[in-house]
mmCIF file with all atom_site columns, all heavy atoms in Angstrom:
data_model
loop_
_atom_site.group_PDB
_atom_site.id
_atom_site.type_symbol
_atom_site.label_atom_id
_atom_site.label_alt_id
_atom_site.label_comp_id
_atom_site.label_asym_id
_atom_site.label_entity_id
_atom_site.label_seq_id
_atom_site.pdbx_PDB_ins_code
_atom_site.Cartn_x
_atom_site.Cartn_y
_atom_site.Cartn_z
_atom_site.occupancy
_atom_site.B_iso_or_equiv
_atom_site.pdbx_formal_charge
_atom_site.auth_seq_id
_atom_site.auth_comp_id
_atom_site.auth_asym_id
_atom_site.auth_atom_id
_atom_site.pdbx_PDB_model_num
ATOM 1   N N   . ARG B 1 106 ? -13.523 16.141 54.276 1.00 92.00 ? 1295 ARG B N   1
ATOM 2   C CA  . ARG B 1 106 ? -13.602 14.689 54.153 1.00 92.00 ? 1295 ARG B CA  1
ATOM 3   C C   . ARG B 1 106 ? -13.721 14.011 55.498 1.00 92.00 ? 1295 ARG B C   1
ATOM 4   O O   . ARG B 1 106 ? -14.398 12.994 55.636 1.00 92.00 ? 1295 ARG B O   1
ATOM 5   C CB  . ARG B 1 106 ? -12.373 14.144 53.414 1.00 92.00 ? 1295 ARG B CB  1
ATOM 6   C CG  . ARG B 1 106 ? -12.286 14.587 51.978 1.00 92.00 ? 1295 ARG B CG  1
ATOM 7   C CD  . ARG B 1 106 ? -13.503 14.087 51.221 1.00 92.00 ? 1295 ARG B CD  1
ATOM 8   N NE  . ARG B 1 106 ? -13.773 14.961 50.099 1.00 92.00 ? 1295 ARG B NE  1
ATOM 9   C CZ  . ARG B 1 106 ? -13.881 14.540 48.840 1.00 92.00 ? 1295 ARG B CZ  1
ATOM 10  N NH1 . ARG B 1 106 ? -13.763 13.277 48.561 1.00 92.00 ? 1295 ARG B NH1 1
ATOM 11  N NH2 . ARG B 1 106 ? -14.116 15.395 47.881 1.00 92.00 ? 1295 ARG B NH2 1
ATOM 12  N N   . ARG B 1 107 ? -13.061 14.596 56.495 1.00 91.00 ? 1296 ARG B N   1
ATOM 13  C CA  . ARG B 1 107 ? -13.153 13.973 57.823 1.00 91.00 ? 1296 ARG B CA  1
ATOM 14  C C   . ARG B 1 107 ? -14.565 14.083 58.344 1.00 91.00 ? 1296 ARG B C   1
ATOM 15  O O   . ARG B 1 107 ? -15.094 13.152 58.940 1.00 91.00 ? 1296 ARG B O   1
ATOM 16  C CB  . ARG B 1 107 ? -12.179 14.646 58.776 1.00 91.00 ? 1296 ARG B CB  1
ATOM 17  C CG  . ARG B 1 107 ? -10.769 14.187 58.513 1.00 91.00 ? 1296 ARG B CG  1
ATOM 18  C CD  . ARG B 1 107 ? -9.920  14.214 59.761 1.00 91.00 ? 1296 ARG B CD  1
ATOM 19  N NE  . ARG B 1 107 ? -8.632  13.626 59.420 1.00 91.00 ? 1296 ARG B NE  1
ATOM 20  C CZ  . ARG B 1 107 ? -7.476  14.225 59.618 1.00 91.00 ? 1296 ARG B CZ  1
ATOM 21  N NH1 . ARG B 1 107 ? -7.434  15.415 60.189 1.00 91.00 ? 1296 ARG B NH1 1
ATOM 22  N NH2 . ARG B 1 107 ? -6.354  13.634 59.278 1.00 91.00 ? 1296 ARG B NH2 1
ATOM 23  N N   . GLU B 1 108 ? -15.174 15.258 58.099 1.00 92.00 ? 1297 GLU B N   1
ATOM 24  C CA  . GLU B 1 108 ? -16.538 15.437 58.566 1.00 92.00 ? 1297 GLU B CA  1
ATOM 25  C C   . GLU B 1 108 ? -17.478 14.472 57.857 1.00 92.00 ? 1297 GLU B C   1
ATOM 26  O O   . GLU B 1 108 ? -18.478 14.042 58.415 1.00 92.00 ? 1297 GLU B O   1
ATOM 27  C CB  . GLU B 1 108 ? -16.997 16.890 58.337 1.00 92.00 ? 1297 GLU B CB  1
ATOM 28  C CG  . GLU B 1 108 ? -16.544 17.791 59.477 1.00 92.00 ? 1297 GLU B CG  1
ATOM 29  C CD  . GLU B 1 108 ? -16.634 19.260 59.131 1.00 92.00 ? 1297 GLU B CD  1
ATOM 30  O OE1 . GLU B 1 108 ? -17.239 19.598 58.091 1.00 92.00 ? 1297 GLU B OE1 1
ATOM 31  O OE2 . GLU B 1 108 ? -16.082 20.071 59.898 1.00 92.00 ? 1297 GLU B OE2 1
ATOM 32  N N   . ALA B 1 109 ? -17.131 14.148 56.601 1.00 91.00 ? 1298 ALA B N   1
ATOM 33  C CA  . ALA B 1 109 ? -17.970 13.217 55.847 1.00 91.00 ? 1298 ALA B CA  1
ATOM 34  C C   . ALA B 1 109 ? -17.681 11.773 56.244 1.00 91.00 ? 1298 ALA B C   1
ATOM 35  O O   . ALA B 1 109 ? -18.223 10.842 55.643 1.00 91.00 ? 1298 ALA B O   1
ATOM 36  C CB  . ALA B 1 109 ? -17.746 13.412 54.354 1.00 91.00 ? 1298 ALA B CB  1
ATOM 37  N N   . GLY B 1 110 ? -16.821 11.594 57.229 1.00 89.00 ? 1299 GLY B N   1
ATOM 38  C CA  . GLY B 1 110 ? -16.586 10.251 57.741 1.00 89.00 ? 1299 GLY B CA  1
ATOM 39  C C   . GLY B 1 110 ? -15.467 9.477  57.077 1.00 89.00 ? 1299 GLY B C   1
ATOM 40  O O   . GLY B 1 110 ? -15.380 8.264  57.224 1.00 89.00 ? 1299 GLY B O   1
ATOM 41  N N   . PHE B 1 111 ? -14.613 10.184 56.340 1.00 90.00 ? 1300 PHE B N   1
ATOM 42  C CA  . PHE B 1 111 ? -13.485 9.490  55.721 1.00 90.00 ? 1300 PHE B CA  1
ATOM 43  C C   . PHE B 1 111 ? -12.259 9.592  56.618 1.00 90.00 ? 1300 PHE B C   1
ATOM 44  O O   . PHE B 1 111 ? -12.157 10.487 57.447 1.00 90.00 ? 1300 PHE B O   1
ATOM 45  C CB  . PHE B 1 111 ? -13.141 10.112 54.366 1.00 90.00 ? 1300 PHE B CB  1
ATOM 46  C CG  . PHE B 1 111 ? -14.152 9.832  53.312 1.00 90.00 ? 1300 PHE B CG  1
ATOM 47  C CD1 . PHE B 1 111 ? -15.141 10.752 53.015 1.00 90.00 ? 1300 PHE B CD1 1
ATOM 48  C CD2 . PHE B 1 111 ? -14.120 8.638  52.600 1.00 90.00 ? 1300 PHE B CD2 1
ATOM 49  C CE1 . PHE B 1 111 ? -16.082 10.501 52.039 1.00 90.00 ? 1300 PHE B CE1 1
ATOM 50  C CE2 . PHE B 1 111 ? -15.051 8.382  51.614 1.00 90.00 ? 1300 PHE B CE2 1
ATOM 51  C CZ  . PHE B 1 111 ? -16.040 9.305  51.335 1.00 90.00 ? 1300 PHE B CZ  1
ATOM 52  N N   . GLU B 1 112 ? -11.375 8.669  56.402 1.00 90.00 ? 1301 GLU B N   1
ATOM 53  C CA  . GLU B 1 112 ? -10.104 8.722  57.092 1.00 90.00 ? 1301 GLU B CA  1
ATOM 54  C C   . GLU B 1 112 ? -9.124  9.365  56.114 1.00 90.00 ? 1301 GLU B C   1
ATOM 55  O O   . GLU B 1 112 ? -8.995  8.889  54.980 1.00 90.00 ? 1301 GLU B O   1
ATOM 56  C CB  . GLU B 1 112 ? -9.662  7.280  57.368 1.00 90.00 ? 1301 GLU B CB  1
ATOM 57  C CG  . GLU B 1 112 ? -8.966  7.074  58.681 1.00 90.00 ? 1301 GLU B CG  1
ATOM 58  C CD  . GLU B 1 112 ? -8.650  5.611  58.841 1.00 90.00 ? 1301 GLU B CD  1
ATOM 59  O OE1 . GLU B 1 112 ? -9.606  4.819  59.048 1.00 90.00 ? 1301 GLU B OE1 1
ATOM 60  O OE2 . GLU B 1 112 ? -7.464  5.255  58.721 1.00 90.00 ? 1301 GLU B OE2 1
ATOM 61  N N   . VAL B 1 113 ? -8.467  10.456 56.493 1.00 90.00 ? 1302 VAL B N   1
ATOM 62  C CA  . VAL B 1 113 ? -7.616  11.150 55.522 1.00 90.00 ? 1302 VAL B CA  1
ATOM 63  C C   . VAL B 1 113 ? -6.153  11.124 55.955 1.00 90.00 ? 1302 VAL B C   1
ATOM 64  O O   . VAL B 1 113 ? -5.820  11.496 57.076 1.00 90.00 ? 1302 VAL B O   1
ATOM 65  C CB  . VAL B 1 113 ? -8.048  12.626 55.354 1.00 90.00 ? 1302 VAL B CB  1
ATOM 66  C CG1 . VAL B 1 113 ? -7.273  13.264 54.215 1.00 90.00 ? 1302 VAL B CG1 1
ATOM 67  C CG2 . VAL B 1 113 ? -9.531  12.724 55.102 1.00 90.00 ? 1302 VAL B CG2 1
ATOM 68  N N   . GLY B 1 114 ? -5.309  10.661 55.056 1.00 90.00 ? 1303 GLY B N   1
ATOM 69  C CA  . GLY B 1 114 ? -3.865  10.695 55.292 1.00 90.00 ? 1303 GLY B CA  1
ATOM 70  C C   . GLY B 1 114 ? -3.249  11.635 54.284 1.00 90.00 ? 1303 GLY B C   1
ATOM 71  O O   . GLY B 1 114 ? -3.876  11.984 53.297 1.00 90.00 ? 1303 GLY B O   1
ATOM 72  N N   . ILE B 1 115 ? -2.008  12.057 54.532 1.00 91.00 ? 1304 ILE B N   1
ATOM 73  C CA  . ILE B 1 115 ? -1.378  12.943 53.567 1.00 91.00 ? 1304 ILE B CA  1
ATOM 74  C C   . ILE B 1 115 ? 0.050   12.511 53.248 1.00 91.00 ? 1304 ILE B C   1
ATOM 75  O O   . ILE B 1 115 ? 0.734   11.895 54.049 1.00 91.00 ? 1304 ILE B O   1
ATOM 76  C CB  . ILE B 1 115 ? -1.331  14.414 54.055 1.00 91.00 ? 1304 ILE B CB  1
ATOM 77  C CG1 . ILE B 1 115 ? -0.797  14.473 55.483 1.00 91.00 ? 1304 ILE B CG1 1
ATOM 78  C CG2 . ILE B 1 115 ? -2.663  15.079 53.938 1.00 91.00 ? 1304 ILE B CG2 1
ATOM 79  C CD1 . ILE B 1 115 ? -0.503  15.862 55.947 1.00 91.00 ? 1304 ILE B CD1 1
ATOM 80  N N   . SER B 1 116 ? 0.454   12.873 52.050 1.00 92.00 ? 1305 SER B N   1
ATOM 81  C CA  . SER B 1 116 ? 1.847   12.778 51.634 1.00 92.00 ? 1305 SER B CA  1
ATOM 82  C C   . SER B 1 116 ? 2.194   14.148 51.090 1.00 92.00 ? 1305 SER B C   1
ATOM 83  O O   . SER B 1 116 ? 1.328   14.824 50.547 1.00 92.00 ? 1305 SER B O   1
ATOM 84  C CB  . SER B 1 116 ? 2.032   11.779 50.502 1.00 92.00 ? 1305 SER B CB  1
ATOM 85  O OG  . SER B 1 116 ? 1.692   10.504 50.939 1.00 92.00 ? 1305 SER B OG  1
ATOM 86  N N   . VAL B 1 117 ? 3.426   14.562 51.236 1.00 92.00 ? 1306 VAL B N   1
ATOM 87  C CA  . VAL B 1 117 ? 3.755   15.904 50.778 1.00 92.00 ? 1306 VAL B CA  1
ATOM 88  C C   . VAL B 1 117 ? 4.992   15.927 49.892 1.00 92.00 ? 1306 VAL B C   1
ATOM 89  O O   . VAL B 1 117 ? 5.899   15.124 50.035 1.00 92.00 ? 1306 VAL B O   1
ATOM 90  C CB  . VAL B 1 117 ? 3.979   16.882 51.957 1.00 92.00 ? 1306 VAL B CB  1
ATOM 91  C CG1 . VAL B 1 117 ? 2.727   17.003 52.772 1.00 92.00 ? 1306 VAL B CG1 1
ATOM 92  C CG2 . VAL B 1 117 ? 5.146   16.460 52.809 1.00 92.00 ? 1306 VAL B CG2 1
ATOM 93  N N   . VAL B 1 118 ? 4.986   16.867 48.973 1.00 93.00 ? 1307 VAL B N   1
ATOM 94  C CA  . VAL B 1 118 ? 6.155   17.176 48.176 1.00 93.00 ? 1307 VAL B CA  1
ATOM 95  C C   . VAL B 1 118 ? 6.473   18.640 48.444 1.00 93.00 ? 1307 VAL B C   1
ATOM 96  O O   . VAL B 1 118 ? 5.585   19.488 48.382 1.00 93.00 ? 1307 VAL B O   1
ATOM 97  C CB  . VAL B 1 118 ? 5.888   16.985 46.669 1.00 93.00 ? 1307 VAL B CB  1
ATOM 98  C CG1 . VAL B 1 118 ? 7.122   17.328 45.864 1.00 93.00 ? 1307 VAL B CG1 1
ATOM 99  C CG2 . VAL B 1 118 ? 5.444   15.576 46.381 1.00 93.00 ? 1307 VAL B CG2 1
ATOM 100 N N   . GLY B 1 119 ? 7.709   18.938 48.766 1.00 92.00 ? 1308 GLY B N   1
ATOM 101 C CA  . GLY B 1 119 ? 8.093   20.331 49.005 1.00 92.00 ? 1308 GLY B CA  1
ATOM 102 C C   . GLY B 1 119 ? 8.285   20.617 50.478 1.00 92.00 ? 1308 GLY B C   1
ATOM 103 O O   . GLY B 1 119 ? 7.559   20.134 51.325 1.00 92.00 ? 1308 GLY B O   1
ATOM 104 N N   . ARG B 1 120 ? 9.295   21.414 50.753 1.00 92.00 ? 1309 ARG B N   1
ATOM 105 C CA  . ARG B 1 120 ? 9.651   21.685 52.141 1.00 92.00 ? 1309 ARG B CA  1
ATOM 106 C C   . ARG B 1 120 ? 8.572   22.461 52.871 1.00 92.00 ? 1309 ARG B C   1
ATOM 107 O O   . ARG B 1 120 ? 8.345   22.261 54.053 1.00 92.00 ? 1309 ARG B O   1
ATOM 108 C CB  . ARG B 1 120 ? 10.969  22.455 52.181 1.00 92.00 ? 1309 ARG B CB  1
ATOM 109 C CG  . ARG B 1 120 ? 11.990  21.750 53.004 1.00 92.00 ? 1309 ARG B CG  1
ATOM 110 C CD  . ARG B 1 120 ? 13.310  22.480 53.003 1.00 92.00 ? 1309 ARG B CD  1
ATOM 111 N NE  . ARG B 1 120 ? 13.164  23.880 53.317 1.00 92.00 ? 1309 ARG B NE  1
ATOM 112 C CZ  . ARG B 1 120 ? 13.995  24.817 52.870 1.00 92.00 ? 1309 ARG B CZ  1
ATOM 113 N NH1 . ARG B 1 120 ? 14.985  24.493 52.091 1.00 92.00 ? 1309 ARG B NH1 1
ATOM 114 N NH2 . ARG B 1 120 ? 13.825  26.070 53.196 1.00 92.00 ? 1309 ARG B NH2 1
ATOM 115 N N   . LYS B 1 121 ? 7.899   23.358 52.166 1.00 91.00 ? 1310 LYS B N   1
ATOM 116 C CA  . LYS B 1 121 ? 6.904   24.202 52.815 1.00 91.00 ? 1310 LYS B CA  1
ATOM 117 C C   . LYS B 1 121 ? 5.758   23.362 53.363 1.00 91.00 ? 1310 LYS B C   1
ATOM 118 O O   . LYS B 1 121 ? 5.279   23.597 54.459 1.00 91.00 ? 1310 LYS B O   1
ATOM 119 C CB  . LYS B 1 121 ? 6.384   25.250 51.833 1.00 91.00 ? 1310 LYS B CB  1
ATOM 120 C CG  . LYS B 1 121 ? 7.390   26.340 51.552 1.00 91.00 ? 1310 LYS B CG  1
ATOM 121 C CD  . LYS B 1 121 ? 7.524   27.244 52.760 1.00 91.00 ? 1310 LYS B CD  1
ATOM 122 C CE  . LYS B 1 121 ? 8.832   28.001 52.682 1.00 91.00 ? 1310 LYS B CE  1
ATOM 123 N NZ  . LYS B 1 121 ? 9.071   28.848 53.839 1.00 91.00 ? 1310 LYS B NZ  1
ATOM 124 N N   . ALA B 1 122 ? 5.327   22.389 52.568 1.00 90.00 ? 1311 ALA B N   1
ATOM 125 C CA  . ALA B 1 122 ? 4.232   21.532 53.020 1.00 90.00 ? 1311 ALA B CA  1
ATOM 126 C C   . ALA B 1 122 ? 4.699   20.660 54.179 1.00 90.00 ? 1311 ALA B C   1
ATOM 127 O O   . ALA B 1 122 ? 3.980   20.472 55.155 1.00 90.00 ? 1311 ALA B O   1
ATOM 128 C CB  . ALA B 1 122 ? 3.746   20.664 51.869 1.00 90.00 ? 1311 ALA B CB  1
ATOM 129 N N   . ARG B 1 123 ? 5.925   20.176 54.085 1.00 90.00 ? 1312 ARG B N   1
ATOM 130 C CA  . ARG B 1 123 ? 6.445   19.318 55.151 1.00 90.00 ? 1312 ARG B CA  1
ATOM 131 C C   . ARG B 1 123 ? 6.457   20.073 56.472 1.00 90.00 ? 1312 ARG B C   1
ATOM 132 O O   . ARG B 1 123 ? 5.962   19.605 57.487 1.00 90.00 ? 1312 ARG B O   1
ATOM 133 C CB  . ARG B 1 123 ? 7.860   18.861 54.805 1.00 90.00 ? 1312 ARG B CB  1
ATOM 134 C CG  . ARG B 1 123 ? 8.429   17.892 55.824 1.00 90.00 ? 1312 ARG B CG  1
ATOM 135 C CD  . ARG B 1 123 ? 9.918   17.729 55.662 1.00 90.00 ? 1312 ARG B CD  1
ATOM 136 N NE  . ARG B 1 123 ? 10.617  18.976 55.951 1.00 90.00 ? 1312 ARG B NE  1
ATOM 137 C CZ  . ARG B 1 123 ? 11.917  19.141 55.807 1.00 90.00 ? 1312 ARG B CZ  1
ATOM 138 N NH1 . ARG B 1 123 ? 12.662  18.174 55.344 1.00 90.00 ? 1312 ARG B NH1 1
ATOM 139 N NH2 . ARG B 1 123 ? 12.485  20.288 56.095 1.00 90.00 ? 1312 ARG B NH2 1
ATOM 140 N N   . ASP B 1 124 ? 7.009   21.295 56.441 1.00 90.00 ? 1313 ASP B N   1
ATOM 141 C CA  . ASP B 1 124 ? 7.099   22.077 57.673 1.00 90.00 ? 1313 ASP B CA  1
ATOM 142 C C   . ASP B 1 124 ? 5.726   22.411 58.217 1.00 90.00 ? 1313 ASP B C   1
ATOM 143 O O   . ASP B 1 124 ? 5.503   22.418 59.419 1.00 90.00 ? 1313 ASP B O   1
ATOM 144 C CB  . ASP B 1 124 ? 7.901   23.357 57.415 1.00 90.00 ? 1313 ASP B CB  1
ATOM 145 C CG  . ASP B 1 124 ? 9.335   23.037 57.040 1.00 90.00 ? 1313 ASP B CG  1
ATOM 146 O OD1 . ASP B 1 124 ? 9.715   21.855 57.172 1.00 90.00 ? 1313 ASP B OD1 1
ATOM 147 O OD2 . ASP B 1 124 ? 10.066  23.950 56.621 1.00 90.00 ? 1313 ASP B OD2 1
ATOM 148 N N   . PHE B 1 125 ? 4.810   22.691 57.307 1.00 90.00 ? 1314 PHE B N   1
ATOM 149 C CA  . PHE B 1 125 ? 3.454   23.040 57.709 1.00 90.00 ? 1314 PHE B CA  1
ATOM 150 C C   . PHE B 1 125 ? 2.801   21.885 58.454 1.00 90.00 ? 1314 PHE B C   1
ATOM 151 O O   . PHE B 1 125 ? 2.278   22.041 59.547 1.00 90.00 ? 1314 PHE B O   1
ATOM 152 C CB  . PHE B 1 125 ? 2.632   23.410 56.470 1.00 90.00 ? 1314 PHE B CB  1
ATOM 153 C CG  . PHE B 1 125 ? 1.212   23.786 56.752 1.00 90.00 ? 1314 PHE B CG  1
ATOM 154 C CD1 . PHE B 1 125 ? 0.906   25.081 57.133 1.00 90.00 ? 1314 PHE B CD1 1
ATOM 155 C CD2 . PHE B 1 125 ? 0.190   22.862 56.620 1.00 90.00 ? 1314 PHE B CD2 1
ATOM 156 C CE1 . PHE B 1 125 ? -0.412  25.444 57.384 1.00 90.00 ? 1314 PHE B CE1 1
ATOM 157 C CE2 . PHE B 1 125 ? -1.130  23.220 56.870 1.00 90.00 ? 1314 PHE B CE2 1
ATOM 158 C CZ  . PHE B 1 125 ? -1.425  24.516 57.249 1.00 90.00 ? 1314 PHE B CZ  1
ATOM 159 N N   . PHE B 1 126 ? 2.870   20.691 57.861 1.00 90.00 ? 1315 PHE B N   1
ATOM 160 C CA  . PHE B 1 126 ? 2.172   19.569 58.473 1.00 90.00 ? 1315 PHE B CA  1
ATOM 161 C C   . PHE B 1 126 ? 2.940   18.992 59.653 1.00 90.00 ? 1315 PHE B C   1
ATOM 162 O O   . PHE B 1 126 ? 2.373   18.296 60.485 1.00 90.00 ? 1315 PHE B O   1
ATOM 163 C CB  . PHE B 1 126 ? 1.864   18.495 57.431 1.00 90.00 ? 1315 PHE B CB  1
ATOM 164 C CG  . PHE B 1 126 ? 0.734   18.887 56.531 1.00 90.00 ? 1315 PHE B CG  1
ATOM 165 C CD1 . PHE B 1 126 ? 0.957   19.221 55.211 1.00 90.00 ? 1315 PHE B CD1 1
ATOM 166 C CD2 . PHE B 1 126 ? -0.551  18.963 57.030 1.00 90.00 ? 1315 PHE B CD2 1
ATOM 167 C CE1 . PHE B 1 126 ? -0.088  19.613 54.398 1.00 90.00 ? 1315 PHE B CE1 1
ATOM 168 C CE2 . PHE B 1 126 ? -1.604  19.359 56.220 1.00 90.00 ? 1315 PHE B CE2 1
ATOM 169 C CZ  . PHE B 1 126 ? -1.369  19.684 54.900 1.00 90.00 ? 1315 PHE B CZ  1
ATOM 170 N N   . ARG B 1 127 ? 4.190   19.319 59.745 1.00 87.00 ? 1316 ARG B N   1
ATOM 171 C CA  . ARG B 1 127 ? 4.959   18.875 60.894 1.00 87.00 ? 1316 ARG B CA  1
ATOM 172 C C   . ARG B 1 127 ? 4.409   19.535 62.155 1.00 87.00 ? 1316 ARG B C   1
ATOM 173 O O   . ARG B 1 127 ? 4.401   18.968 63.227 1.00 87.00 ? 1316 ARG B O   1
ATOM 174 C CB  . ARG B 1 127 ? 6.428   19.260 60.691 1.00 87.00 ? 1316 ARG B CB  1
ATOM 175 C CG  . ARG B 1 127 ? 7.337   18.709 61.749 1.00 87.00 ? 1316 ARG B CG  1
ATOM 176 C CD  . ARG B 1 127 ? 8.746   19.133 61.465 1.00 87.00 ? 1316 ARG B CD  1
ATOM 177 N NE  . ARG B 1 127 ? 9.411   18.190 60.563 1.00 87.00 ? 1316 ARG B NE  1
ATOM 178 C CZ  . ARG B 1 127 ? 10.567  18.444 59.978 1.00 87.00 ? 1316 ARG B CZ  1
ATOM 179 N NH1 . ARG B 1 127 ? 11.157  19.619 60.160 1.00 87.00 ? 1316 ARG B NH1 1
ATOM 180 N NH2 . ARG B 1 127 ? 11.136  17.550 59.218 1.00 87.00 ? 1316 ARG B NH2 1
#
Side-chain angles (χ1 to χ4, degrees):
Chain B
R1295 295 299 153 125
R1296 284 210 174 126
E1297 276 164 11
F1300 289 97
E1301 217 177 289
V1302 187
I1304 48 170
S1305 296
V1306 298
V1307 179
R1309 236 178 50 209
K1310 287 288 160 183
R1312 184 194 65 184
D1313 296 350
F1314 180 84
F1315 285 109
R1316 187 180 273 168

